[in-house]
Amino acid sequence: MIQSLSGPVDTRPWWQKLVQNYTLRTFVQSLFTVWAVITFVFFLIRLMPGNPVEIYVNYLMNTENLTYQDAYNRAASQFKFDPDASVVQQYFVYLGQLLRGDMGESITSTGTKVSSQILRYLPWTVFCVGSALLISFLLGMLLGMLAAYFRNTWVDNVISFLASIVSAVPDYIWAILILIIFGVQLKWFNVGDMRGTYDPATPPGFNLPFILSALQHAILPITTYVLGSIGRWVLAMRGSTTSTLGEDYVNIARARGLKQNRIMTAYVGRNAALPLFTLLAISIGFVLGGSVIVEEAFVYKGLGSFLFWSISQRDYTSMQGVLLIITIAVVFSNMLADLLYSRLDPRVRVTGDK
Amino acid sequence: MSEVVLSVQDVSIVYRVSRGQVKASQHISFDLHKGESLALIGESGSGKTTVSLSFIDMLPSAAKITGGKVLYTRDGKTENIFEFSEARMRDFRWHDCAMVFQGAQNAFNPVLKIKEQFLDTARAHGWRDKGKVIKRTLELLRLVRLDPERTLESFPHELSGGMKQRTLLALGVLLDPQVVILDEPTTALDILTQRAIIEVLKEMQSRLGFSIIFISHDLALAAEMADRVATMYAGEMVELGSTQHIFYEPLHPYSLGLLQSVPRLSQDKDELSSIKGNPPDLIDPPSGCKFHPRCPFAQELCNQEEPVFKEHEPGHFAACHFTENVIEARANLWKKD
Amino acid sequence: MRTFWPLLWQNKVGLIGFIGLVFYLLLITVFQWMVGFDNEVKLDQINSPPGSRLVLLTRPEDKDSYTKLQDLVGHKVGILEKSGAPTFLEKSNVEGLEVETYRWRSGRGVPESLEALAAGEVDALIIFSKLVRRYVLDPSSRDYKVSLSHLTVSNPKLGPALLLGADTQGRDMFTHVINGGRILIITAIMAGLISTAIAFILGTVAALAGGIVDRILVAIANFIIVIPRFPLLIVLAAMITLNNWLLLATLIGLLAWPALMRAIRAQVLSLRERDYVEAAMALDLSRMHIIFREILPNMMGFVVINFVVAITTAMYDQIGLIFLGMAPINDYTWGVMLYFGRSRGTLFNIDSAAMLLAPVLAIAFFQVCLVLFSRALEEAFDPRLRGAA
């Protein structure tokens, strides 16, 4: 009596396979989210009570003594919209421009493309936030596993307590503390030298002095992001490892005489890490959001401080562009995390609907 | 009888809890012969699983082995399991003694293919030849009546409960162990699957020649599976004999009680009786014979003196002061049938 | 809740959090009322270190005769205008003092008054200890005058000490720290209430209604969750004039609910499978009855824990906004102290550490207490977690 297997045989027609393909579906969902964000931000900027176009028109009228019509046309050219079109028409034109990678011109520095500004600042933030997320994710998982292994001993108590404290304190508070204690009081580094993204004396290029200089300037923001996000990973990993350690398959793996290393990595680690991927989305958004203040505190010229600069200058086109880029970055890193998760957990791959 | 593979001698294990020591198993002794099936039966908490876990050093950290030894013989060489080094114990697990736990539903790592998990097991014991391992795996999967190629490429969640249990059995004998411990291997499965698993097990045993320790509280399954049966009560072995001995000629009132609690086709419903009272507190067990508070044949002696576990007829051991009363009672029981 | 107190007592870490929160509660009620808010700008106290205070300065020969204000009745006392001394004199209310006031005039007033004391024009000078240190005792100071070094402090503890020193405007930091938490904490609680309430209502509705309503609500939550909250918040803050704390709390609350809403929806979905809820539905009891009688009591623990967590989020958001100068700074709060620390460069002044550390620690400790307390609550409500740290 050979039992028939239902699982691995795939009898779905090709179109159903395509629709249910996990990777494709995730990608389409992400595109949809990005479109929704573009729409949301567009109408937010156009329809808010303090409508930036009106504010800017008033500003031009007051400062340059233009008539309303002139000022309005000038605003239209800078915001990249046709002054005679309705908001909905403007919206479609804007979508078309975005598809071509055109985000309009900066209002305050006339003639500068928002997209080129963003390209200038984005890499630094991606570098800092990306490496910080990676460090805190890996280190947090390690410490969380350690705490779970030694649960209810002093090792666990110390790690959990510190993780609670670290996760409670906002990242910008860490930034201020680092500056005050290590920079100003203990003078471990010169606060002034650490400003900016690299030393102006070393021209950008793929060479050692430049890379070292970039690392030196990034170390404070990275430390801050790691401190601000690691506690959550530790606590989440501790909880998930604790429950994984109680699973039958871990016990049976021991009974099977597997080596401790193999059990730790492929059996406990991999399964315990799975739930953490769902937290990645929130964490990426959180750290990127925090970068506005942290970069401002360290005078690190990344996307966060550019966003703050454009807000304080009331440069709405830049503001719109940065908010968009930040959100798109979160959406797509989320998608990557999702796909990675589906590679690691075969259970979500088949239907993705569970 | 054939050679002894596992000789359990006077093993005692306690669990340390805040209230004191739980005497989970006391002075357990038995021999397991090559190719035989020995069933351990008894209520939950009677120490069946605890004893078996001690063979592969998988007791919870609160447990402590307070005495005894377990002699394991392979290829004429005899060693005490309790004196194994950590490395030797790791190799002993599964290679010499595989334990198939209850609830196979969650026995496999959900993120690895069945194939990986077979290879993992083989690799951990130095079987480097991948092709040979796969070949043997396919053979074993066929033996447990699964579609071998497909099962091999499946993830655990793609298999049904019964399929997982069979796969686990196949995995259990992958390394050609001498001893396979089956801890309630069929609980949580439906009755048809249970039957199929038992058939598969018997066939595998006859083909591969390993010995089985079968832990169950399902007497019917035990009767079907086992060559010999041991009854355990309150951490002690109270009776040991052939299946015929235990199920038709029990000498211990507890074995008799267990039999009476199993419904028979020919029996009226109201004759079905459970054993009165509750299992004893293992931190502060009763004096004398631990079963005496629940025993219908108990006398003053039972309260004072612990009965010796001795051989009453060839191959039939029991620990009871008044076996003759049990013989009388069981005669009455069969008469009614 | 019956078992809550003994559990909290066992959980030492949670107890620390709880005691801390009680302390903060006292801070924004009793302590605040006791200490009062001193917002007076005193030019002599700008950037003064912790422990500074007013002292009495005399010529050496009068060292023992003039130690209290009462000793000076009938004599001439010098004070500086726009400093802490006039207010102090007013408050101490000693009759019969002859008071000579020196004009501050870009700092020249200090040496002038000192010279007047040395020359015998006044008999004693009420002056701030930092100035004494700088002008009279510290030869390395550029304001040091050798001729004045013989003047003596006859009473080093004339006025009350500034426990945390004064900020860049010469305002008493201690009273600011004590008073700077109330608005923040109230705003955070309000924002937490708003976001928890939205999350609870939408989560429950989504789970119970199911179908298209559920799909739409979940889609909205999933959408808001991917927009990084803080950047969106500052963009919104740039367009809406955040001139009162209620508006700020509402804005924060409106953006913070999605994660909790999803969690609550999942909880309600699993609760719905339970027998008593199924029974209530079978009996056709009203939705309201099911939500508030059957579901809420069973989720109370979860909701309370997440309310506490929501407070920490709201604290993060609003202090971040204030720190960047995007939220109301007319109320003097810990956030505003940080804002001044950044905008006025005190962050990089080695002497002003206390000015920034005080609000930083006040904020950090409050957040830590909330988190520790929420973890203790989690353990109290979820027996499976007990025994863990």
Side-chain angles (χ1 to χ4, degrees):
Chain A
M1 50 174 264
I2 288 191
Q3 284 202 353
S4 68
L5 278 166
S6 54
V9 219
D10 202 339
T11 53
R12 297 171 298 169
W14 67 269
W15 52 270
Q16 210 171 355
K17 276 186 203 170
L18 194 67
V19 172
Q20 290 176 350
N21 180 294
Y22 190 77
T23 312
L24 192 72
R25 265 187 17 178
T26 316
F27 184 69
V28 172
Q29 267 172 12
S30 304
L31 280 187
F32 182 77
T33 314
V34 167
W35 167 76
V37 171
I38 291 171
T39 312
F40 175 74
V41 174
F42 178 85
F43 286 104
L44 183 80
I45 302 268
R46 288 300 144 89
L47 301 177
M48 275 314 267
N51 183 338
V53 178
E54 286 303 317
I55 292 176
Y56 189 57
V57 169
N58 285 334
Y59 166 80
L60 287 179
M61 282 164 65
N62 290 334
T63 51
E64 307 195 12
N65 282 325
L66 297 173
T67 64
Y68 181 83
Q69 199 50 51
D70 286 346
Y72 191 73
N73 287 336
R74 194 67 178 271
S77 77
Q78 243 139 12
F79 276 90
K80 283 258 166 185
F81 66 81
D82 175 3
D84 301 322
S86 70
V87 174
V88 177
Q89 279 171 318
Q90 285 174 30
Y91 165 67
F92 283 110
V93 172
Y94 177 68
L95 274 188
Q97 283 167 356
L98 274 187
L99 279 181
R100 275 174 274 123
D102 183 358
M103 292 180 162
E105 275 176 17
S106 163
I107 294 179
T108 40
S109 27
T110 321
T112 322
K113 288 263 177 217
V114 171
S115 47
S116 67
Q117 291 276 69
I118 288 177
L119 278 181
R120 206 173 114 206
Y121 295 115
L122 181 68
W124 298 108
T125 299
V126 168
F127 166 58
C128 273
V129 169
S131 36
L133 272 173
L134 201 67
I135 293 172
S136 83
F137 186 65
L138 295 178
L139 200 63
M141 283 207 303
L142 199 72
L143 289 174
M145 265 180 97
L146 209 64
Y149 257 91
F150 296 96
R151 63 186 170 286
N152 300 331
T153 66
W154 66 268
V155 179
D156 175 32
N157 289 342
V158 168
I159 292 180
S160 302
F161 184 68
L162 287 182
S164 297
I165 289 182
V166 163
S167 71
V169 178
D171 44 11
Y172 49 82
I173 294 288
W174 285 120
I176 297 173
L177 276 173
I178 289 176
L179 279 177
I180 297 181
I181 295 174
F182 300 111
V184 178
Q185 298 295 325
L186 297 177
K187 292 197 166 57
W188 284 7
F189 53 83
N190 185 330
V191 176
D193 289 352
M194 301 293 269
R195 290 179 182 175
T197 46
Y198 59 90
D199 188 353
T202 53
F206 194 74
N207 53 53
L208 195 62
F210 174 71
I211 293 171
L212 283 180
S213 161
L215 275 179
Q216 186 208 350
H217 285 81
I219 191 99
L220 293 183
I222 290 179
T223 312
T224 306
Y225 298 140
V226 170
L227 280 173
S229 58
I230 196 171
R232 261 166 274 253
W233 294 125
V234 173
L235 296 177
M237 189 64 182
R238 179 187 177 275
S240 118
T241 307
T242 306
S243 56
T244 308
L245 280 173
E247 294 283 358
D248 287 347
Y249 55 82
V250 175
N251 255 323
I252 292 180
R254 276 218 299 148
R256 276 157 61 194
L258 297 196
K259 293 197 170 103
Q260 194 64 13
N261 280 344
R262 179 73 186 162
I263 299 179
M264 274 350 302
T265 50
Y267 285 71
V268 179
R270 202 168 145 184
N271 282 291
L274 286 177
L276 270 69
F277 280 85
T278 51
L279 295 176
L280 255 178
I282 297 172
S283 187
I284 294 169
F286 175 77
V287 174
L288 258 180
S291 76
V292 180
I293 319 180
V294 173
E295 286 182 4
E296 201 44 33
F298 289 120
V299 201
Y300 192 82
K301 295 290 177 204
L303 207 59
S305 73
F306 179 59
L307 176 64
F308 179 66
W309 177 86
S310 53
I311 288 173
S312 51
Q313 300 296 313
R314 294 290 188 267
D315 187 340
Y316 290 95
T317 43
S318 303
M319 201 161 95
Q320 190 174 2
V322 177
L323 190 59
L324 217 58
I325 287 293
I326 289 185
T327 311
I328 291 173
V330 173
V331 171
F332 280 97
S333 8
N334 222 332
M335 185 187 86
L336 286 180
D338 242 17
L339 291 180
L340 191 62
Y341 176 64
S342 77
R343 299 291 344 142
L344 292 175
D345 189 349
R347 283 164 296 186
V348 297
R349 223 176 294 161
V350 193
T351 60
D353 254 337
K354 281 173 194 164
Chain B
M1 261 210 185
S2 60
E3 74 174 285
V4 174
V5 182
L6 205 62
S7 177
V8 181
Q9 298 178 7
D10 204 24
V11 169
S12 300
I13 299 162
V14 296
Y15 287 103
R16 285 160 300 186
V17 293
S18 51
R19 217 150 55 85
Q21 287 189 334
V22 178
K23 296 169 188 74
S25 65
Q26 292 286 297
H27 310 294
I28 305 291
S29 300
F30 63 86
D31 286 343
L32 182 70
H33 300 270
K34 198 175 179 68
E36 78 160 333
S37 316
L38 172 71
L40 295 182
I41 60 175
E43 295 162 311
S44 346
S46 58
K48 301 167 297 195
T49 306
T50 301
V51 174
S52 332
L53 284 175
S54 75
F55 301 160
I56 51 170
D57 190 26
M58 290 274 292
L59 287 166
S61 55
K64 190 170 181 285
I65 299 170
T66 52
K69 55 186 174 180
V70 178
L71 299 178
Y72 171 72
T73 309
R74 182 161 199 166
D75 307 328
K77 199 171 147 232
T78 304
E79 294 163 286
N80 182 2
I81 287 175
F82 291 167
E83 286 165 4
F84 276 175
S85 69
E86 211 171 298
R88 175 73 182 93
M89 176 49 80
R90 190 184 66 70
D91 191 52
F92 174 77
R93 290 175 181 164
W94 220 261
H95 178 237
D96 296 284
C97 175
M99 183 156 179
V100 177
F101 292 83
Q102 49 189 346
Q105 288 323 304
N106 210 359
F108 290 101
N109 183 348
V111 299
L112 294 181
K113 279 188 181 173
I114 297 297
K115 183 174 159 188
E116 279 305 311
Q117 315 208 25
F118 273 85
L119 286 173
D120 254 358
T121 313
R123 218 177 295 131
H125 296 277
W127 290 25
R128 300 259 166 249
D129 187 345
K130 208 168 153 183
K132 228 171 99 187
V133 175
I134 296 283
K135 200 168 151 248
R136 179 167 168 85
T137 305
L138 290 173
E139 240 167 64
L140 291 172
L141 288 173
R142 202 167 296 122
L143 197 59
V144 294
R145 295 167 189 163
L146 287 171
D147 181 338
E149 275 85 13
R150 224 184 266 170
T151 309
L152 208 56
E153 293 302 324
S154 297
F155 283 103
H157 71 276
E158 294 167 335
L159 304 175
S160 72
M163 287 152 115
K164 272 187 227 174
Q165 188 59 272
R166 285 155 197 247
T167 314
L168 188 59
L169 288 177
L171 181 61
V173 295
L174 173 70
L175 305 175
D176 203 4
Q178 289 217 92
V179 180
V180 176
I181 303 172
L182 300 162
D183 188 351
E184 312 265 10
T186 58
T187 24
L189 295 178
D190 62 88
I191 194 93
L192 288 176
T193 319
Q194 276 189 11
R195 188 121 326 268
I197 298 270
I198 295 299
E199 270 172 39
V200 162
L201 258 174
K202 280 183 153 175
E203 193 189 328
M204 285 209 298
Q205 192 185 20
S206 69
R207 292 266 287 275
L208 304 171
F210 50 84
S211 316
I212 290 178
I213 296 177
F214 185 84
I215 300 170
S216 182
H217 50 235
D218 185 334
L219 297 191
L221 275 180
E224 201 165 328
M225 257 320 285
D227 305 317
R228 288 199 300 152
V229 177
T231 314
M232 290 192 62
Y233 181 76
E236 288 177 349
M237 193 171 276
V238 292
E239 189 169 2
L240 169 68
S242 67
T243 310
Q244 172 71 21
H245 284 146
I246 304 294
F247 286 104
Y248 296 97
E249 300 145 23
L251 287 175
H252 196 278
Y254 178 65
S255 306
L256 185 65
L258 282 178
L259 292 180
Q260 283 170 333
S261 64
V262 177
R264 281 162 213 274
L265 282 178
S266 58
Q267 197 175 29
D268 286 339
K269 204 170 67 189
D270 48 283
E271 277 177 70
L272 193 62
S273 61
S274 61
I275 304 171
K276 287 175 185 62
N278 291 314
D281 177 7
L282 291 180
I283 293 177
D284 183 21
S287 59
C289 172
K290 283 178 188 156
F291 188 57
H292 85 260
R294 300 171 74 184
C295 181
F297 313 106
Q299 297 181 26
E300 192 46 37
L301 179 65
C302 301
N303 187 14
Q304 280 155 16
E305 201 178 301
E306 203 173 338
V308 186
F309 188 65
K310 63 172 190 252
E311 195 163 13
H312 289 263
E313 51 189 304
H316 192 175
F317 300 76
C320 182
H321 291 299
F322 300 103
T323 47
E324 60 280 2
N325 294 357
V326 182
I327 295 174
E328 208 174 294
R330 85 189 183 210
N332 290 336
L333 179 70
W334 303 147
K335 229 180 267 166
K336 278 189 216 153
D337 270 6
Chain C
M1 278 316 256
R2 232 175 331 112
T3 54
F4 178 67
W5 295 109
L7 277 172
L8 186 64
W9 187 248
Q10 284 166 21
N11 186 326
K12 292 290 175 260
V13 174
L15 195 63
I16 295 174
F18 180 73
I19 293 172
L21 289 180
V22 170
F23 171 80
Y24 275 92
L25 194 72
L26 289 175
L27 185 77
I28 63 171
T29 51
V30 183
F31 294 173
Q32 186 172 355
W33 172 73
M34 279 164 62
V35 171
F37 181 56
D38 179 6
N39 204 26
E40 196 193 343
V41 173
K42 305 171 197 90
L43 295 182
D44 58 341
Q45 295 175 11
I46 285 174
N47 274 339
S48 61
S52 317
R53 66 207 318 166
L54 288 170
V55 299
L56 195 63
L57 198 66
T58 58
R59 292 181 295 275
E61 60 269 27
D62 297 330
K63 187 174 180 284
D64 297 322
S65 30
Y66 305 143
T67 55
K68 296 192 296 289
L69 283 182
Q70 279 79 7
D71 301 339
L72 288 158
V73 173
H75 298 275
K76 224 181 207 180
V77 187
I79 56 171
L80 283 151
E81 59 162 18
K82 292 179 192 163
S83 75
T87 328
F88 173 71
L89 260 190
E90 218 170 278
K91 275 191 192 154
S92 39
N93 220 355
V94 178
E95 298 281 327
L97 285 175
E98 228 181 295
V99 180
E100 173 78 40
T101 308
Y102 294 91
R103 289 185 62 200
W104 184 270
R105 266 197 297 143
S106 64
R108 269 297 301 155
V110 181
E112 264 175 31
S113 64
L114 290 169
E115 277 156 16
L117 177 63
E121 287 168 33
V122 289
D123 296 313
L125 195 61
I126 299 174
I127 193 164
F128 200 61
S129 59
K130 196 181 77 166
L131 299 178
V132 174
R133 215 167 302 146
R134 191 191 290 165
Y135 286 95
V136 181
L137 302 175
D138 182 6
S140 65
S141 161
R142 76 188 150 85
D143 303 312
Y144 179 72
K145 298 275 190 316
V146 181
S147 62
L148 304 174
S149 64
H150 64 279
L151 294 174
T152 315
V153 174
S154 67
N155 183 351
K157 290 183 178 173
L158 189 68
L162 302 179
L163 286 177
L164 295 172
D167 67 5
T168 45
Q169 294 187 304
R171 296 183 293 196
D172 183 356
M173 292 290 299
F174 180 68
T175 70
H176 287 185
V177 172
I178 296 291
N179 287 274
R182 207 185 66 163
I183 294 279
L184 289 180
I185 291 174
I186 292 176
T187 309
I189 290 175
M190 197 65 210
L193 275 178
I194 293 173
S195 70
T196 312
I198 295 176
F200 178 74
I201 293 170
L202 294 188
T204 318
V205 167
L208 290 186
I212 186 81
V213 178
D214 183 32
R215 276 168 169 250
I216 291 176
L217 288 176
V218 170
I220 294 175
N222 285 344
F223 172 68
I224 297 183
I225 224 166
V226 293
I227 308 179
R229 200 180 63 248
F230 194 73
L232 182 60
L233 201 58
I234 56 173
V235 167
L236 288 175
M239 298 190 210
I240 308 167
T241 324
L242 286 174
N243 47 12
N244 74 65
W245 62 268
L246 199 59
L247 194 61
L248 182 62
T250 312
L251 192 61
I252 292 171
L254 280 178
L255 292 181
W257 55 269
L260 179 57
M261 178 263 182
R262 292 201 301 195
I264 284 181
R265 175 180 166 273
Q267 288 255 325
V268 176
L269 279 181
S270 79
L271 275 178
R272 210 174 67 161
E273 305 296 311
R274 306 255 175 97
D275 294 343
Y276 52 85
V277 179
E278 284 198 337
M281 289 181 126
L283 287 172
D284 214 16
L285 295 175
S286 76
R287 278 269 154 78
M288 284 295 143
H289 176 94
I290 293 170
I291 294 176
F292 289 101
R293 284 296 160 85
E294 312 292 342
I295 289 180
L296 185 60
N298 282 292
M299 293 197 8
M300 210 52 215
F302 186 75
V303 172
V304 169
I305 292 161
N306 282 286
F307 168 62
V308 176
V309 174
I311 297 177
T312 62
T313 314
M315 277 301 256
Y316 178 96
D317 286 349
Q318 64 168 329
I319 294 175
L321 280 178
I322 299 172
F323 180 68
L324 290 178
M326 310 285 303
I329 51 170
N330 38 6
D331 299 306
Y332 208 93
T333 61
W334 299 329
V336 176
M337 293 165 89
L338 292 185
Y339 170 71
F340 285 147
R342 187 179 74 89
S343 60
R344 295 185 182 159
T346 26
L347 191 50
F348 306 109
N349 185 338
I350 196 162
D351 290 328
S352 342
M355 248 189 81
L356 276 163
L357 278 180
V360 157
L361 293 181
I363 295 165
F365 191 59
F366 181 66
Q367 298 284 74
V368 168
C369 288
L370 280 174
V371 166
L372 294 184
F373 183 61
S374 78
R375 301 220 325 136
L377 280 178
E378 241 168 276
E379 273 166 43
F381 286 120
D382 187 350
R384 279 170 304 168
L385 293 173
R386 271 174 220 164

